[in-house]
Amino acid sequence: MAADQRIVIENCSIATVDADDTEYASGHVVISGNRVESLGAGRAPEGLENVVRRIDATGHLVTPGLINTHHHFYQWITRGLATDHNLFDWLVALYPTWARIDEPMVRSAAQGSLAMMARGGVTTAMDHHYVHPRGSGDLSGAIIGAARDMGVRFTLARGSMDRGEKDGGLPPDFAVETLEGALAATEETVERHHDASFDAMTQVAVAPCSPFSISTELLKQGAELARRLGVRLHTHGSETVEEEKFCHELFGMGPTDYFESTGWLGEDVWMAHCVHMNDSDIAAFARTKTGVAHCPSSNARLAAGIARVPDMLAAGVPVGLGVDGTASNESGELHTELRNALLINRLGAHREAALNARQALRLGTFGGAQVLGRAAEIGSLEPGKLADLVLWKLDTLAHASIADPVTALVFGAAAPVTASFVNGRQIVEQGRLLTADEDAIARSTREQAQRLARIAGQA
Ligand SMILES: [Zn+2]
């Protein structure tokens, strides 16, 4: 859409997720170009020029687009395996297969992962991709291309591993990179693809995989590289009791102290999981404004535990939501994670006071923007911010009798998406992608999953 063209959306409930949690029972949003121009109660102002489209959104809730902060797209073609394992056993079972991925597989898996999230209201996605087998092709380029083609805003966390089995790590030796190779390839990916502008559709972060698959040197030099290039840092942290034990045995300290000793706490860092955090770990995250990607379904699937999200929020830690890779969360949908985050946290120490519906929606929107370092641009509906927003249909059988729209979205069944806009461009209409052929993607992901299973079986 041209910069001076407008789309007007009217007669909808609106949850802005701004600092005051402003909501309108019946209101309007005006999109101009790729920005939200205005919004408020009642109908849009009269006399707007260049209105190319007017949407009567009666029966809908409009929210900021959902933001996913942790994922591994390639796992889309290894779903449904090792279903009854904890994290370490699951990793050991799957690494030999993952080590055989190549560019066509990764492209197809990225399309599957992105399509599933986009049709469920995700407007900003991320992929933490850390498996780069030798000779596997331009995996980063394939992933970024898939996101660009689908029209989804995107952060690639360029991952890496350099601690194979011979060095006491979990991945097979042939699946890891060298320290120098990983750093050089990461720098090249940042130089080629990272866009630092306000409207950026593609950003890149530096993202070594996890303490048990990388050397201390890769952590330290990775942090230095990210800060030299001015990009964010991402990794897995404090996911399981086994990881905690591993860190104590190898480094003589727990994961958070280890991260702090390697330069990995800071407002430019976000970490996936953070399940096993004591009070002083949470205080360290709060003090340094280190962000957390909370992945409730994956944590449940791998029996990792319940992250202390209410304590983190109370301490001022930025928290977003993540689906995590779909080998540990086969659904791969973020809108259902709003509900899972709320329900799972209510099973923890804070019980019914753990999280409410508005806090859950905030985790999936503004919280995500914070941990991706994009709170000024996305995550809430405010004049001047980028036009990433979703129209949820709440007037049908599944939701029509639920007391209020935000409660319906979070507590109710997965709500249908009537329309989703990214950067002012509509990418979903009536639950179907406008920017990709879902059936073709389903076929190709099935073929690539079968090809990977065949190759891994022969190895
Ligand atoms: Zn993960």
Side-chain angles (χ1 to χ4, degrees), residues 76-77 103-113 441 443-446 448:
W76 188 261
I77 55 172
E103 196 180 310
M105 292 174 193
V106 168
R107 179 177 296 106
S108 178
Q111 290 168 338
S113 300
I441 292 173
R443 277 194 302 278
S444 107
T445 53
R446 174 115 191 118
Q448 295 298 338

Side-chain angles (χ1 to χ4, degrees), residues 283-294:
F285 270 56
R287 173 168 43 79
T288 56
K289 294 284 172 234
T290 304
V292 170
H294 174 48

Side-chain angles (χ1 to χ4, degrees), residues 302-324:
L302 294 173
I306 303 171
R308 297 170 57 188
V309 171
D311 295 324
M312 294 176 191
L313 294 177
V317 176
V319 183
L321 287 182
V323 302
D324 202 4

Side-chain angles (χ1 to χ4, degrees), residues 70-72 75 90 128 130 209 234 236 239 272-273 295 298 324-325 328:
H70 187 67
H71 205 316
H72 313 290
Q75 293 181 7
W90 172 86
H128 183 191
Y130 54 85
C209 182
H234 179 63
H236 293 96
E239 184 171 355
H273 306 305
C295 306
S298 171
D324 202 4
S328 65

Side-chain angles (χ1 to χ4, degrees), residues 397-442:
L397 175 66
H399 303 91
S401 57
I402 300 180
D404 90 274
V406 174
T407 300
L409 177 69
V410 174
F411 280 84
V417 172
T418 294
S420 177
F421 291 84
V422 182
N423 220 35
R425 174 192 184 201
Q426 187 175 356
I427 64 163
V428 176
E429 167 83 27
Q430 306 294 346
R432 299 285 293 183
L433 283 166
L434 296 173
T435 48
D437 178 343
E438 287 177 31
D439 299 327
I441 292 173

Side-chain angles (χ1 to χ4, degrees), residues 351-374:
R351 302 183 58 190
E352 70 277 13
L355 282 179
N356 62 37
R358 267 101 193 145
Q359 288 172 309
L361 177 60
R362 178 169 290 275
L363 291 178
T365 54
F366 190 77
Q370 280 183 300
V371 307
L372 295 182
R374 304 205 65 180

Side-chain angles (χ1 to χ4, degrees), residues 168-453:
L170 288 182
D173 290 323
F174 61 88
V176 303
E177 297 173 281
T178 62
L179 169 67
E180 298 74 22
L183 290 167
T186 302
E187 178 161 7
E188 200 240 313
T189 305
V190 173
E191 299 291 359
R192 228 167 87 202
H193 298 290
H194 181 71
D195 177 358
S197 71
F198 187 91
D199 320 66
M201 290 296 289
T202 306
Q203 297 203 326
V204 179
V206 175
C209 182
S210 59
F212 46 84
S213 58
I214 54 183
S215 66
T216 303
E217 237 0 77
L218 182 52
L219 269 179
K220 282 185 178 160
Q221 293 189 34
E224 285 163 16
L225 175 70
R227 288 175 180 135
R228 177 161 63 77
L229 299 174
V231 299
R232 296 181 74 74
L233 299 84
H234 179 63
T235 191
H236 293 96
S238 306
E239 184 171 355
T240 62
V241 283
E242 290 84 6
E243 177 189 336
E244 205 176 353
K245 193 162 158 266
F246 178 97
C247 284
H248 276 287
E249 279 170 13
L250 242 76
F251 315 122
M253 58 185 112
T256 300
D257 291 333
Y258 178 57
F259 284 125
E260 183 143 46
S261 76
T262 51
W264 272 77
L265 294 187
E267 59 183 358
D268 53 359
V269 181
W270 86 105
M271 247 174 254
H273 306 305
C274 303
V275 174
H276 297 278
M277 304 261 280
N278 60 31
D279 290 347
S280 94
D281 297 333
I282 291 175
F285 270 56
R287 173 168 43 79
T288 56
K289 294 284 172 234
T290 304
V292 170
H294 174 48
C295 306
S297 294
S298 171
N299 294 157
R301 157 77 150 81
L302 294 173
I306 303 171
R308 297 170 57 188
V309 171
D311 295 324
M312 294 176 191
L313 294 177
V317 176
V319 183
L321 287 182
V323 302
D324 202 4
T326 45
S328 65
N329 177 5
E330 273 73 3
S331 92
E333 295 183 302
L334 191 62
H335 57 329
T336 50
E337 294 296 303
L338 303 177
R339 183 168 186 260
N340 293 346
L342 186 151
L343 295 180
I344 286 174
N345 277 282
R346 286 191 179 183
L347 295 173
H350 295 268
R351 302 183 58 190
E352 70 277 13
L355 282 179
N356 62 37
R358 267 101 193 145
Q359 288 172 309
L361 177 60
R362 178 169 290 275
L363 291 178
T365 54
F366 190 77
Q370 280 183 300
V371 307
L372 295 182
R374 304 205 65 180
E377 303 109 280
I378 55 174
S380 59
L381 297 177
E382 297 177 64
K385 290 188 100 168
L386 296 168
D388 293 6
L389 53 93
V390 181
L391 278 69
W392 307 95
K393 186 166 175 55
L394 298 179
D395 62 354
T396 64
L397 175 66
H399 303 91
S401 57
I402 300 180
D404 90 274
V406 174
T407 300
L409 177 69
V410 174
F411 280 84
V417 172
T418 294
S420 177
F421 291 84
V422 182
N423 220 35
R425 174 192 184 201
Q426 187 175 356
I427 64 163
V428 176
E429 167 83 27
Q430 306 294 346
R432 299 285 293 183
L433 283 166
L434 296 173
T435 48
D437 178 343
E438 287 177 31
D439 299 327
I441 292 173
R443 277 194 302 278
S444 107
T445 53
R446 174 115 191 118
E447 283 163 16
Q448 295 298 338
Q450 288 170 339
R451 191 166 75 83
L452 176 57

